[in-house]
Every structure is written in structure tokens, then in C-alpha cells.
Amino acid sequence: TPTRTPTATSTQPPPTSTPVPPTATPTPDTVGPPAPEIVAPTGGATLGCPPDVTLDWQPVTDPSGVAGYRIGLYKKAGGIWTLVNTWTGVTDTFLDVSAWVDCGDAYRWRVRAQDGAGNEGSYSAWAEFGIVLP
């Protein structure tokens, strides 16, 4: 009987490094921050004269951070709301507008946030206030 020579078998050595999973591509931020909530003045508040008016709202958060706020102030003139001023890039959650308002007039305002990616969120609800005559 012929003698059989065993056949060689080879085994793979274990891997020496851990495979690296593929890197996920970040999803760009295309959604703006939520609308800020107005604190004061609101609800048709009547303020004294001379005017000392600070618009105040709650801060918002966003995954890209909040770069600033845009505030629009309007005055009722002849039954029509007209723009008094717009402030952009406000980094606080309040704005003194005393120099922009007059005694005896009605005003409304709103605010929205802009995130660090440049997306603007929705405006807050309108808030109205008036200033009495002296």
C-alpha cells in the first residue's frame, strides 16, 4: 500500500487591526431655529410716557447654535401698520426701542432667530402694545 503524504492546510492568521467603518457624510443643516416666545410687552399692554420700552423674548436653541435674532417693530398710523425699524444680528434676548417709539401711538412687534448655518426660523406671534399720551 502506498503511503499517503498528508496535504498541507493553511489557516489565515487573525487580523491585526480593527477595520474602520466608513465615515458618514454629515447632513447639512437646512432647518431654522424654532420661533422665539415673546415675554413683554405683549397683550396690548399700555405703557407710560415718556416711553421706556424694552422688547423681551425667550432664547431658542438650535443644533447649529443661534447666531442672532431679527426684530421688526411696526407702528399703527392711520389704521395701517407701517415698519418703524428692523434690527438684525441682535445677540441678546432683549432690545431697548425707547428711542424708536412715541407717546400716544400703538405698536406691534415680532422676532425670529437665525442659526449658525444661516437658516432663519419662523417669526414669533405678533405682540402689541401702546403708549399713553402725557
Side-chain angles (χ1 to χ4, degrees):
T1 33
T3 311
R4 289 186 142 190
T5 309
T7 57
T9 60
S10 80
T11 57
Q12 292 285 69
T16 56
S17 64
T18 305
V20 177
T23 306
T25 304
T27 304
D29 181 0
T30 58
V31 178
E37 182 180 332
I38 289 180
V39 175
T42 188
T46 302
L47 308 177
C49 186
D52 181 16
V53 181
T54 298
L55 308 179
D56 188 17
W57 60 94
Q58 291 291 327
V60 297
T61 59
D62 185 87
S64 297
V66 174
Y69 296 92
R70 175 188 299 262
I71 300 95
L73 176 66
Y74 295 76
K75 176 180 178 176
K76 195 166 195 177
I80 298 171
W81 292 105
T82 57
L83 179 66
V84 173
N85 202 356
T86 300
W87 293 267
T88 58
V90 176
T91 55
D92 293 318
T93 58
F94 60 90
L95 179 66
D96 183 347
V97 296
S98 300
W100 295 90
V101 296
D102 297 311
C103 298
D105 289 323
Y107 295 89
R108 72 178 183 176
W109 67 285
R110 62 186 183 168
V111 57
R112 73 178 176 183
Q114 181 178 32
D115 69 16
N119 303 304
E120 288 191 316
S122 298
Y123 272 107
S124 65
W126 286 105
E128 295 184 9
F129 65 94
I131 303 171
V132 299
L133 286 170

